[in-house]
Amino acid sequence: MKVLVIGGGAREHALCRSLSLDPDVTALYCAPGNAGIAEVAELHPVDPMDGDAVARLAVELKSDLVVVGPEAPLVAGVADAVRAAGIPCFGPSKEAAQLEGSKAFAKDVMAAANVPTARSYVCTTPEEIDEALDAFGAPYVVKDDGLAAGKGVVVTDDLAVAREHALACERVVIEEFLDGPEVSLFAITDGVTVLPLQPAQDFKRALDGDEGPNTGGMGAYSPLPWADPKLVDEVMASVLQPTVDELRRRGTPFSGLLYAGLAITSRGVRVIEFNARFGDPETQVVLARLKTPLASVLLHSATGTLDAEPPLTWRDDAAVTVVIASHNYPATPRTGDPIEGLADVAAQDQPSAYVLHAGTKRDGDTVVSAGGRVLSVTATGKDLAEARERAYTAVGRIRLDGSQHRTDIAREAAGAQG
């Protein structure tokens, strides 16, 4: 099978790494990719947002499967363009991707499917914003209706900050605050059959102790030793299957990766948000634990034959990923700094720890930073404590001037597991 992956972040590197280890994959391409992905896939320059260009490349490469990684191309309809060229594509249609592209659309689907979520108001005027903020009170949860690369949400006790964020959005969803820990659960679906993956937890705040601004994610771990063993079954029954069924009923079947961001509240599981693609950095730890070869699962999803896929199998290992970010992230990051120590990790830590590239590129013989989140250092171990220790040992070998990372990824969960 020849596979083309679209995107250039750590999520795409994790996907390419898993696909490169799959014996069914005879050729692996990535467009545009990054410095790390170049080690496992052949890179091609393409604008991921240009559906026609992506489809042309897929045809030219005689791809058997295209995997669209990021959300923006999916919301722009890139998967539709690939399918129109007659090539199976893993990723939802433009219409179905509105589940992530519009918070208001997602709330409407959840209401119709009776999926448990936070009470909310969709606001477009200052008067509506003030009414909604007043109705819920602090802590205020304010979400930009559209795509915002994981940084469109403000949770604050400060009314002025909440109002300022809301007014800066064209359309905004204001909702009640959900207490309790957050969990990410992915499911692969072909629009009918739903195949859940293992749950993970990510860390959104920039600084230790969940302080600082929201980011695209600073680390993640899986499994969750504190979670109810029945959690996946419960979410399948109350969230994932009803959502897929409702979208099919509307004539916009969802095929691809359905991501549910969940709050485990005192009143039960509630959906915080849906995404229409693999989440970053949770993908890094979930795929590290997946034993089933990835390509056939994605192809079954893309061709509507997921019911033919046997149950997924998982390694007993735990996985932890730690994100190394640029100076000043999540504000305007500094880029172009050389990254050292990658060869040391490859020589001393693999295969139990390895580096997935996010914002990197080659400058001659040197790998340099090219984005906010630069690397995802991922490790596995017999339990979270061992995986965590291996991940941070590898992090310690990497040198990037001015970089930052959290030191507490999975610390509490590893303690609970011990």
Side-chain angles (χ1 to χ4, degrees):
M1 192 191 305
K2 294 180 176 180
V3 184
L4 169 62
V5 176
I6 302 301
R11 160 191 43 231
E12 288 77 33
H13 194 176
L15 286 163
C16 285
R17 180 181 180 275
S18 290
L19 289 165
S20 73
L21 298 171
D22 187 332
D24 285 344
V25 176
T26 52
L28 181 60
Y29 313 105
C30 187
N34 61 37
I37 295 173
E39 294 173 16
V40 293
E42 183 180 297
L43 301 193
H44 289 265
V46 77
D47 177 358
M49 297 295 290
D50 185 339
D52 291 339
V54 170
R56 274 197 306 275
L57 177 63
V59 170
E60 193 182 303
L61 295 171
K62 298 185 170 59
S63 306
D64 300 301
L65 174 68
V66 174
V67 179
V68 181
E71 60 274 25
L74 290 167
V75 171
V78 168
D80 303 86
V82 172
R83 279 191 279 267
I87 295 174
C89 186
F90 181 80
S93 67
K94 179 178 181 174
E95 284 185 274
Q98 283 303 302
L99 204 57
E100 177 170 7
S102 167
K103 304 282 190 298
F105 176 81
K107 287 289 186 184
D108 186 58
V109 170
M110 283 188 270
N114 206 21
V115 168
T117 185
R119 291 179 300 121
S120 63
Y121 294 103
V122 179
C123 308
T124 54
T125 68
E127 293 74 28
E128 288 173 347
I129 287 167
D130 289 339
E131 278 179 36
L133 292 171
D134 187 49
F136 288 131
Y140 304 100
V141 181
V142 183
K143 298 180 175 182
D144 191 331
D145 179 55
L147 292 180
K151 297 186 279 288
V153 180
V154 165
V155 181
T156 178
D157 287 320
D158 187 325
L159 177 60
V161 170
R163 191 169 188 274
E164 182 185 11
H165 183 66
L167 290 169
C169 302
E170 207 169 302
R171 187 157 80 145
V172 67
V173 175
I174 295 172
E175 61 184 38
E176 67 176 325
F177 176 76
L178 297 172
D179 63 337
E182 293 185 16
V183 172
S184 300
L185 184 62
F186 302 159
I188 291 171
T189 177
D190 59 4
V192 179
T193 303
V194 182
L195 214 55
L197 306 187
Q198 290 286 304
Q201 186 170 53
D202 78 330
F203 294 76
K204 292 272 197 302
R205 299 283 185 173
L207 308 174
D208 284 4
D210 289 330
E211 298 288 330
N214 251 347
T215 71
M218 294 298 289
Y221 69 92
S222 179
L224 313 181
W226 48 268
D228 186 328
K230 298 194 204 74
L231 176 66
V232 173
D233 292 340
E234 183 190 334
V235 175
M236 267 291 289
S238 67
V239 175
L240 298 170
Q241 192 71 57
T243 301
V244 169
D245 291 346
E246 171 61 20
L247 285 163
R248 188 174 69 253
R249 188 191 68 75
R250 291 176 176 221
T252 54
F254 187 103
S255 157
L257 195 288
L258 178 58
Y259 162 122
L262 308 162
I264 313 299
T265 76
S266 52
R267 303 189 310 284
V269 173
R270 297 286 184 274
V271 175
I272 301 167
E273 65 174 352
F274 282 127
N275 290 340
R277 38 76 198 183
F278 278 102
D280 181 349
E282 301 97 320
T283 303
Q284 288 85 302
V285 291
V286 172
L287 291 186
R289 298 185 58 226
L290 180 65
K291 201 189 268 186
T292 301
L294 186 61
S296 74
V297 188
L298 302 186
L299 185 63
H300 279 310
S301 163
T303 54
T305 54
L306 203 55
D307 58 345
E309 181 68 35
L312 299 178
T313 55
W314 298 90
R315 296 185 179 89
D316 292 332
D317 287 3
V320 171
T321 195
V322 179
V323 170
I324 297 177
S326 295
H327 175 73
N328 204 38
Y329 177 78
T332 306
R334 194 174 81 205
T335 58
D337 289 310
I339 302 164
E340 297 174 343
L342 296 171
D344 298 337
V345 175
Q348 298 178 62
D349 302 298
Q350 283 184 319
S352 58
Y354 49 89
V355 179
L356 297 169
H357 291 232
T360 69
K361 68 176 183 183
R362 278 209 169 272
D363 183 2
D365 292 335
T366 309
V367 176
V368 300
S369 60
R373 291 185 296 170
V374 181
L375 304 168
S376 286
V377 180
T378 305
T380 55
K382 66 178 187 295
D383 55 22
L384 285 171
E386 185 175 69
R388 192 173 179 278
E389 184 188 343
R390 287 172 171 175
Y392 278 107
T393 297
V395 167
R397 300 193 203 282
I398 292 169
R399 296 172 298 286
L400 171 61
D401 188 43
S403 69
Q404 51 175 320
H405 66 270
R406 282 183 58 160
T407 64
D408 62 347
I409 303 300
R411 184 166 62 199
E412 207 175 302
Q417 202 174 34

